[in-house]
Amino acid sequence: MSAESGDSAGITIGVVGAGMMGSALAYTCARAGADVVLVARSLEGAHRGKAYAARREMHALQAGRTDAAASSALLDRIAPTERVSDLAPASLVVEAVAENVAVKQHVLQSIEAVTEPSTLLASTTSTLPVTTLAATLARPENFVGMHFFSPVDRMSLVETVVGARTSEATLAASLTYSRMLGKTPIVVRDSRGFFTSRVMQPYLDEAMVAVGEGIDPVLVERAALEAGYPVPPLQLLDEITLTLNRTVQRENRVAVEAVGGVWRANGADRVRDRMIDEHGRGGRSVGRGFYEYDAAGARLGLWPGLRDLFGIPRTIPLEDMRDRLLFVEVLEAMRCLDEGVIGSEADADTGSVLGIGFPAHTGGVVSFRRSYSAGVEGFTARARELAGRYGHRFLPPEPSSEAHDQPEYL
């Protein structure tokens, strides 16, 4: 949505946090026509956040996608500040700070203290339960998760997370805001990992499991690209960083065990730990991961030592590796549907394609299963074949229903 559309004209949106997520979100809101209050811990940090918008507008000017007057007006709509009190006129405030419960709760409380009772509060969290984040708020009914995807100004999906006390009015308003910003929202139930992170993690894990089995990492990456993934899994892990991926998994383990569950480790944990702890290969940000990088951070190719790190080399058919990556995501999506984590098959398809890069030509995780050779029965037969060769994680969950047409939250 361009600023010229005017759909957000006259609306003030607050963004708290001027890191990569917050900076891009502030630019997205201003581009949609809203006035933006960008809050950081220091005024200098807030100005650095606004600089993201300036850089993006410079590229737009050079490409002829805007003109100087429109670009100047857009930048004028972003007001950097270190004062939380400047959020008072905002009708929506989005928190985009560190992925830590205590930090987010503190920030959200400070926002709530200076804004109107009707102000909508949102968090960009990608994994933390929204109900937990809302526990210290005076008005939890006004709080919702709005999980934007990075880079925000280019990714169209927003995963809208409904907490235990999120009101229907708040949900409806958040969906309206997402659409005003030119985004495509889906609705998910509050749970750790929500839908997109929960479905993407098996894709990343499966690649590491395969490497740990001695399968050539070149085959792993090639299988993903031939399946239609925009970014192969080992490359994606380097971009995310293995260290962040491990932190999230450890937090998941703590959450599972805190409620009496049993955490089931897999071969991915061993690969991730050895890469980080024994070889210092945490990802692109440190210049060493599954790939090698030059001094400027450019990707050079897969780390040659990776092939010999995890035992005797093993060869499997390319189509098996391809299906292993695809099927683990589809099977996890099926579990999410059966558990009511996501309310509709349409949202599951949309979220998988727009949010986590499931091959777009398939139509999404649900459409892939339905359109598989010989349909659902063919998919199930192939899943059982993979289970026989590579492990029980490929066994399909027992179906509870084939009817998931309407989101239960709307």
Side-chain angles (χ1 to χ4, degrees):
M1 180 184 297
S2 67
E4 287 75 13
S5 67
D7 286 356
S8 299
I11 292 174
T12 299
I13 297 176
V15 178
V16 180
M20 183 180 296
M21 175 66 71
S23 299
L25 179 56
Y27 175 53
T28 299
C29 295
R31 194 171 62 176
D35 295 320
V36 183
V37 178
L38 177 59
V39 182
R41 284 180 291 183
S42 68
L43 185 57
E44 180 184 9
H47 278 287
R48 283 198 302 269
K50 181 174 179 176
Y52 177 90
R55 290 193 300 272
R56 295 295 296 144
E57 282 301 290
M58 180 184 67
H59 292 312
L61 281 165
Q62 292 171 346
R65 295 192 300 270
T66 188
D67 58 51
S71 183
S72 178
L74 185 156
L75 294 174
D76 286 345
R77 287 195 291 273
I78 302 175
T81 180
E82 80 280 24
R83 298 187 299 269
V84 176
S85 59
D86 288 344
L87 295 168
S91 57
L92 165 67
V93 180
V94 185
E95 162 274 304
V97 300
E99 195 78 348
N100 176 277
V101 170
V103 171
K104 286 183 180 291
Q105 285 181 332
H106 174 75
V107 169
L108 288 165
Q109 284 179 289
S110 68
I111 296 168
E112 189 180 51
V114 300
T115 52
E116 295 294 326
S118 60
T119 300
L120 180 70
L121 301 186
S123 173
T124 61
T125 181
S126 60
T127 58
L128 300 175
V130 166
T131 301
T132 300
L133 297 181
T136 57
L137 292 176
R139 299 185 294 275
E141 66 277 6
N142 287 5
F143 181 64
V144 68
M146 294 180 72
H147 174 205
F148 293 86
F149 291 74
S150 187
V152 180
D153 49 307
R154 302 179 212 179
M155 296 288 281
S156 62
L157 189 74
V158 176
E159 192 172 32
T160 309
V161 188
V162 180
R165 297 185 64 183
T166 302
S167 70
E168 291 185 8
T170 294
L171 171 59
S174 70
L175 297 176
T176 298
Y177 277 115
S178 292
R179 294 179 181 120
M180 285 169 50
L181 297 177
K183 304 302 183 183
T184 301
I186 62 172
V187 180
V188 302
R189 194 182 73 190
D190 191 20
S191 62
R192 187 164 287 270
F194 312 135
F195 175 75
T196 53
S197 296
R198 179 170 160 180
V199 172
M200 185 175 71
Q201 188 59 49
Y203 170 68
L204 302 176
D205 278 357
E206 194 61 32
M208 288 186 282
V209 168
V211 169
E213 291 173 350
I215 295 170
D216 189 339
V218 172
L219 178 69
V220 175
E221 300 290 79
R222 180 184 165 199
L225 292 173
E226 292 204 2
Y229 286 98
V231 182
L234 301 179
Q235 180 181 325
L236 183 55
L237 277 160
D238 271 9
E239 296 295 329
I240 295 169
T241 74
L242 279 75
T243 47
L244 176 59
N245 185 253
R246 181 166 73 172
T247 296
V248 171
Q249 288 299 85
R250 286 178 171 175
E251 289 176 351
N252 288 340
R253 177 173 183 168
V254 169
V256 168
E257 293 177 346
V259 294
V262 177
W263 178 258
R264 293 178 175 83
N266 60 36
D269 299 316
R270 181 173 66 94
V271 171
R272 190 167 37 229
D273 287 347
R274 290 191 64 188
M275 288 288 289
I276 297 170
D277 299 333
E278 295 181 19
H279 300 279
R281 306 192 71 89
R284 187 171 189 170
S285 64
V286 297
R288 295 159 54 87
F290 289 111
Y291 284 78
E292 298 272 60
Y293 302 90
D294 67 16
R299 191 180 308 105
L300 300 176
L302 283 159
W303 175 40
L306 189 57
R307 293 178 178 85
D308 304 319
L309 191 60
F310 296 102
I312 300 172
R314 178 186 178 192
T315 300
I316 67 170
L318 177 66
E319 57 267 27
D320 277 15
M321 191 66 248
R322 177 199 65 207
D323 284 356
R324 284 173 62 169
L325 297 171
L326 290 164
F327 274 60
V328 288
E329 289 202 284
V330 175
L331 292 166
E332 191 62 31
M334 289 171 60
R335 296 183 189 100
C336 288
L337 280 162
D338 284 344
E339 295 168 19
V341 171
I342 191 160
S344 77
E345 294 182 349
D347 275 2
D349 273 347
T350 299
S352 64
V353 172
L354 297 183
I356 56 177
F358 193 81
H361 72 272
T362 68
V365 284
V366 175
S367 293
F368 175 86
R369 176 172 173 255
R370 292 195 182 281
S371 61
Y372 195 79
S373 178
V376 171
E377 290 184 1
F379 174 89
T380 301
R382 177 60 169 156
R384 288 173 177 161
E385 182 180 21
L386 292 172
R389 293 179 185 177
Y390 304 109
H392 69 275
R393 63 189 176 280
F394 292 102
L395 288 174
E398 290 297 323
S400 61
S401 172
E402 287 293 320
H404 296 283
D405 294 327
Q406 296 298 323
E408 62 185 75
Y409 307 107
L410 299 180

